[in-house]
Amino acid sequence: MSIKYFDEFKSFYLHTPNTSYVFHINDGGFLIHDYYGKKIPECDMRFYSARPGRSSFSPRSADGTTTPDSAPMEYSVNGTGDYRASALQIREFRGNASTDIRFDSYKIYAGKPELKGQPATYGTEEETTTLEIVAKDAVTNAEVTLYYTVFENYDAIARRVKVTNASEHGMDLERVYSSCTELPKGNWDICHLYGMWGRERKFERNHIPRGITAIESKRGASGHHHNPFIAIVDGSTTEEIGDAYGFSFIYSGNFSAQTEIDTDGDVRVIVGINPTDFGWHLDPGESFETPEAVSVYSAEGLGGMSRIFHKLYRNNLCRDPWKNAKRPLLINNWEGTYFNFDEEKIFNIAKEAGELGVEMLVLDDGWFGSRNGDNSGLGDWFVNEEKIKGGMKLLSERIHGLGMKFGLWFEPEMINPISNLYDAHPDWCLHVEGRPMCKGRNQYVLDLSRKDVQDYLFDCMDKILKDAQIEYIKWDFNRNITEAASALLSADKQKEIFHRYVLGLYALCERLLEAHPDLLMEGCSGGGGRFDPAMLYYFPQYWTSDDTDAIERLDIQYGTSMVYPTTAISSHVSVCPNHQTERISPMQTRGDVALAGTFGYELDVTKMSDEDKEAVKAQIAEYHKYYDVIHFGDLYRLIPPNGEECAWCYVSEDKSEALLTFVCIRCHPQFRRCVKFRGLDENKLYKDDEGNVRPGSVWMNAGINRTNGMKDFTSFKVHLTEVK
Ligand code: DGJ
């Protein structure tokens, strides 16, 4: 068992292969955090949580055992002496919001319990061990269960919380975070991913100031602007060396990841649902279960942290049958045609792409209702037979006749005011009676908390999926939520709408997958606006950004790779000048950058030159050749995109193969390009495709020395295979 309780020290020890997490029950029954980091033996760690006494302004608990304001609290609560960020705040029936939870009982068992109705990591009894701690508030009778699951193969701990109202009165949850982690004073930096449409998940690292730093969303979606992830790293931590703690939240709605550094320099990290615009009422006997948060620790810097997330999320969050299956290499018509297509044009794109080796045609926006632009039709999920003559069944049959698969775009959560659906059900969107609604891309957001709305969407999608042979859908979401209110909820429950919306979304995804278990779903939100771990549970790949410019993608994919595996990063080759930036980059660079993801095309292949078509054939051959090392290998970020250059490499798990990609962002006359491999076996011999045989130690310590200069936006790859 990798979780143990030692009564002698009243301490819990949670071990992963290389980490330990320790906390104890103190004399007052408070849960006090002791240690999280590199693996240590099970000794008495209580000394490490001792803090000097403070003044009368940091009150002691009534029983005199604890100063909640300075003690590292395992799960911080509001209103009883801890003035730092609270993980839990409950307003009881008498109106006050003071909470005080003390240890009651625990269970340790093999396996990981299911989180009903919400996405979460999973694992067998061999792969996981779980600790459940129950702590109770003797006054409010709130019962708080803290869940911790450790993974046998990964340095990761999955955490979540359940709050049960065991009283005879109602109570209201005002904050209920999924995890609270205390780190000792140090020289800490925070890393996070920020962005906007077309510029998602840019990496930023800053020294953490005292007070609260918050990375959050209140858009009703995780969003383009911030990702539900932060890493806390030592100031000296690099890409490959040093302490890195990663916190990732498996949730697609309003999230909050906060750090608070107190006066003494100690750090608290809380991760969970954003308390802004959140509340949840519990009647007697009812429970609330938070989404899951995952903590990862690596002593091997940000790179080590990312590699743990990649494996955990690919193997134990994404699901079968697609998590490790080779995905069909697709062409999507969006940038090729936008709304201007008919079935013949689509068929011709499929035909020519198929001849080059593409395996699936994805028909994007515009095939349904009165959708000839972005101002009408959303909600009317019926084939527009003026555009798709003969219907979707016929088109899919013709495409399958080419030996290809067929995929279709949906934006289920949205409604245009110009649509039959809106005419029939104006109250089906989120709205506040009497308040004019904000529009985003001419559309409103459907109220997914409603079962009738979920049923309508399921029925429409299920019918289309049954009528035609469709192996894949791209699920888009092109605006964020405003006027968040549901026509069906009572006034006291309106505060629940944001979370209920997310639960409704999960329910719809689950239902579709249950009905169509082999369906491959790709997530999308105006590019990567909802690229979060929860979505990966349903969508093993996610359209990373609407910005398909290869040079822009370097930043976007670099940031995305902090948490998300290559198998999830949907990346396509598009035409030049690029539609978003007008930049012209070589076909090879566009291919090399798209290879660092699921790979595909986003263009009208019928308009391509013969030369470019030959390049496509060569790229597709490379895609197959390097598929395993890229998708199942370990990623090493060698040079971050720095305005000059960028490089990364993948190394197969058995270290017998590696692929390095280098992109020149800005050229200089007479300039050399040097880059060192990482992750190889230093004692193995490796040969590149030009026949150079060198030991791993040379490839890693000396590396590559390109003396032939490079032009702006050009790239090269170096492929190594072990010489036995
Ligand atoms: C936004 C997506 O990100 C694009 O790829 C495309 O599907 C459009 N929506 C279609 O409206």
Side-chain angles (χ1 to χ4, degrees):
M1 276 281 174
S2 17
I3 301 184
K4 289 179 193 150
Y5 174 68
F6 277 60
D7 199 39
E8 192 187 347
F9 313 137
K10 299 240 170 307
S11 294
F12 295 93
Y13 299 84
L14 287 71
H15 299 297
T16 68
N18 303 295
T19 74
S20 299
Y21 184 103
V22 186
F23 61 97
H24 73 271
I25 309 160
N26 79 359
D27 291 345
F30 289 96
L31 295 167
I32 305 294
H33 182 81
D34 296 311
Y35 175 83
Y36 183 29
K38 239 184 190 169
K39 197 164 195 166
I40 52 169
E42 284 133 8
C43 57
D44 187 354
M45 287 301 292
R46 289 174 293 182
F47 73 96
Y48 203 51
S49 50
R51 300 285 181 266
R54 288 200 182 162
S55 71
S56 58
F57 295 94
S58 290
R60 287 186 78 67
S61 57
D63 62 7
T65 60
T66 310
T67 305
D69 202 22
S70 60
M73 308 301 282
E74 185 55 29
Y75 190 66
S76 59
V77 295
N78 181 70
T80 47
D82 183 349
Y83 297 106
R84 296 164 295 167
S86 314
L88 180 68
Q89 177 167 318
I90 302 176
R91 198 162 293 277
E92 54 141 311
F93 76 104
R94 293 173 299 179
N96 75 86
S98 67
T99 309
D100 180 353
I101 55 169
R102 309 286 177 106
F103 174 78
D104 178 73
S105 59
Y106 77 92
K107 284 200 270 199
I108 297 172
Y109 51 89
K112 184 170 192 289
E114 191 195 346
L115 175 52
K116 264 203 147 345
Q118 298 188 63
T121 56
Y122 55 85
T124 62
E125 291 192 359
E126 287 69 46
E127 290 172 319
T128 53
T129 308
T130 297
L131 165 67
E132 274 183 38
I133 301 243
V134 177
K136 286 186 177 165
D137 185 328
V139 174
T140 62
N141 281 323
E143 203 174 283
V144 180
T145 309
L146 309 176
Y147 293 84
Y148 303 78
T149 297
V150 296
F151 291 82
E152 299 298 322
N153 298 328
Y154 310 118
D155 292 316
I157 305 177
R159 296 177 60 176
R160 62 184 176 88
V161 174
K162 180 168 83 179
V163 181
T164 302
N165 179 357
S167 77
E168 289 171 354
H169 306 278
M171 58 175 64
D172 286 285
L173 303 182
E174 295 187 335
R175 307 162 69 89
V176 53
Y177 279 72
S178 300
S179 72
C180 172
T181 309
E182 303 267 7
L183 298 173
K185 63 200 293 179
N187 172 27
W188 297 110
D189 288 351
I190 181 169
C191 307
H192 67 109
L193 307 171
Y194 72 97
M196 58 183 285
W197 175 85
R199 288 163 57 185
E200 297 90 337
R201 288 171 299 287
K202 304 263 180 175
F203 178 81
E204 186 175 72
R205 175 172 175 168
N206 292 308
H207 188 64
I208 314 182
R210 275 177 214 272
I212 290 178
T213 302
I215 304 298
E216 299 184 331
S217 162
K218 52 176 191 167
R219 309 178 154 268
S222 44
H224 296 82
H225 298 71
H226 295 286
N227 199 257
F229 157 78
I230 54 173
I232 310 300
V233 302
D234 186 80
S236 64
T237 293
T238 64
E239 177 66 20
E240 295 299 337
I241 299 167
D243 290 333
Y245 295 87
F247 300 92
S248 166
F249 189 37
I250 306 182
Y251 192 57
S252 300
N254 296 342
F255 70 87
S256 164
Q258 290 192 357
T259 56
E260 178 163 9
I261 301 215
D262 70 8
T263 321
D264 229 17
D266 293 312
V267 193
R268 172 173 292 168
V269 183
I270 55 173
V271 175
I273 295 178
N274 191 338
T276 301
D277 290 331
F278 168 79
W280 202 268
H281 181 77
L282 290 180
D283 277 328
E286 284 184 342
S287 297
F288 179 85
E289 300 210 72
T290 70
E292 183 171 280
V294 175
S295 318
V296 156
Y297 167 79
S298 172
E300 290 168 10
L302 284 163
M305 174 204 74
S306 297
R307 288 186 287 276
I308 297 166
F309 275 125
H310 294 168
K311 286 188 189 140
L312 176 72
Y313 282 175
R314 177 160 59 79
N315 294 318
N316 293 67
L317 177 65
C318 295
R319 293 190 287 176
D320 278 327
W322 284 108
K323 64 180 185 183
N324 284 318
K326 195 164 177 179
R327 320 276 167 73
L329 196 170
L330 67 85
I331 186 163
N332 178 303
N333 72 301
W334 178 242
E335 286 197 15
T337 67
Y338 294 104
F339 291 104
N340 182 20
F341 61 82
D342 60 15
E343 84 292 344
E344 215 43 50
K345 203 171 196 174
I346 296 301
F347 177 76
N348 287 333
I349 292 176
K351 186 164 177 296
E352 290 209 25
E355 283 162 8
L356 302 177
V358 172
E359 297 161 345
M360 178 163 73
L361 181 288
V362 175
L363 176 54
D364 210 281
D365 193 356
W367 55 266
F368 53 91
S370 58
R371 185 83 167 165
N372 290 310
D374 66 13
N375 68 335
S376 63
L378 288 174
D380 297 341
W381 299 110
F382 311 103
V383 180
N384 179 338
E385 297 215 11
E386 276 170 31
K387 269 175 145 175
I388 310 291
K389 290 178 206 73
M392 206 57 85
K393 186 167 188 300
L394 182 61
L395 179 59
S396 82
E397 277 170 5
R398 291 182 72 199
I399 288 174
H400 282 95
L402 298 169
M404 294 174 78
K405 295 184 174 13
F406 182 54
L408 203 56
W409 179 95
F410 287 91
E411 194 176 1
E413 297 157 80
M414 298 292 162
I415 180 167
N416 283 121
I418 305 175
S419 66
N420 297 340
L421 186 66
Y422 192 75
D423 291 344
H425 298 286
D427 61 329
W428 274 15
C429 57
L430 294 168
H431 67 285
V432 174
E433 213 52 62
R435 180 178 298 287
M437 281 184 277
C438 295
K439 277 190 197 150
R441 210 191 188 206
N442 305 307
Q443 62 203 50
Y444 302 142
V445 185
L446 282 170
D447 179 359
L448 256 73
S449 73
R450 293 176 64 136
K451 182 71 173 48
D452 50 1
V453 172
Q454 291 173 30
D455 288 346
Y456 168 80
L457 293 171
F458 174 80
D459 290 345
C460 290
M461 296 175 83
D462 182 58
K463 182 167 183 324
I464 291 167
L465 292 174
K466 279 182 178 148
D467 283 354
Q469 195 182 339
I470 295 168
E471 283 88 2
Y472 157 111
I473 66 173
K474 176 176 171 189
W475 181 309
D476 210 341
F477 174 83
N478 277 301
R479 62 159 290 182
N480 291 141
I481 292 174
T482 54
E483 296 87 34
S486 169
L488 291 192
L489 289 176
S490 57
D492 61 327
K493 295 239 173 209
Q494 291 291 348
K495 62 192 174 200
E496 300 176 3
I497 185 62
F498 273 110
H499 186 57
R500 286 181 180 274
Y501 179 93
V502 176
L503 295 180
L505 166 64
Y506 295 156
L508 181 58
C509 292
E510 192 64 51
R511 197 162 154 197
L512 262 185
L513 287 176
E514 254 168 41
H516 303 275
D518 293 329
L519 185 66
L520 170 60
M521 298 213 290
E522 172 160 325
C524 176
S525 169
R530 202 164 53 183
F531 197 142
D532 60 56
M535 287 288 98
L536 296 193
Y537 187 72
Y538 308 102
F539 306 88
Q541 59 193 58
Y542 209 97
W543 183 226
T544 308
S545 178
D546 274 347
D547 189 345
T548 55
D549 177 313
I551 302 305
E552 289 282 287
R553 277 288 184 126
L554 295 175
D555 287 302
I556 295 168
Q557 294 179 189
Y558 169 79
T560 306
S561 79
M562 284 293 149
V563 188
Y564 305 102
T566 307
T567 47
I569 297 177
S570 182
S571 191
H572 298 165
V573 174
S574 62
V575 294
C576 276
N578 178 269
H579 287 196
Q580 291 75 37
T581 61
E582 297 187 9
R583 184 180 280 120
I584 297 177
S585 55
M587 190 64 173
Q588 168 162 358
T589 309
R590 285 178 266 156
D592 285 349
V593 174
L595 275 178
T598 56
F599 197 74
Y601 292 89
E602 185 92 8
L603 41 74
D604 182 350
V605 70
T606 64
K607 293 185 180 150
M608 277 185 133
S609 66
D610 288 344
E611 191 191 344
D612 277 353
K613 283 187 191 163
E614 285 310 309
V616 168
K617 278 193 205 161
Q619 283 173 345
I620 291 179
E622 287 194 331
Y623 160 81
H624 290 297
K625 177 174 171 190
Y626 302 135
Y627 188 89
D628 283 353
V629 69
I630 290 177
H631 293 89
F632 308 125
D634 284 329
L635 171 69
Y636 292 84
R637 293 177 293 253
L638 305 176
I639 306 175
N642 56 18
E644 293 278 324
E645 52 195 13
C646 177
W648 62 92
C649 76
Y650 299 97
V651 179
S652 63
E653 222 163 347
D654 66 0
K655 297 188 184 290
S656 66
E657 186 186 3
L659 178 72
L660 179 148
T661 306
F662 182 99
V663 180
C664 166
I665 299 173
R666 197 162 73 122
C667 71
H668 304 282
Q670 318 276 317
F671 202 69
R672 282 189 308 134
R673 298 290 174 177
C674 301
V675 54
K676 298 170 185 172
F677 272 91
R678 282 194 210 126
L680 303 177
D681 182 334
E682 55 184 28
N683 298 315
K684 284 185 173 170
L685 275 181
Y686 294 93
K687 179 161 100 178
D688 69 13
D689 288 351
E690 287 165 10
N692 299 304
V693 179
R694 293 176 195 136
S697 57
V698 172
W699 289 112
M700 288 196 292
N701 294 313
I704 291 152
N705 182 25
R706 282 254 165 163
T707 54
N708 57 353
M710 291 181 81
K711 294 204 182 109
D712 282 357
F713 315 140
T714 55
S715 65
F716 66 83
K717 295 190 288 302
V718 179
H719 179 227
L720 300 184
T721 44
E722 184 186 351
V723 182
K724 300 254 182 184

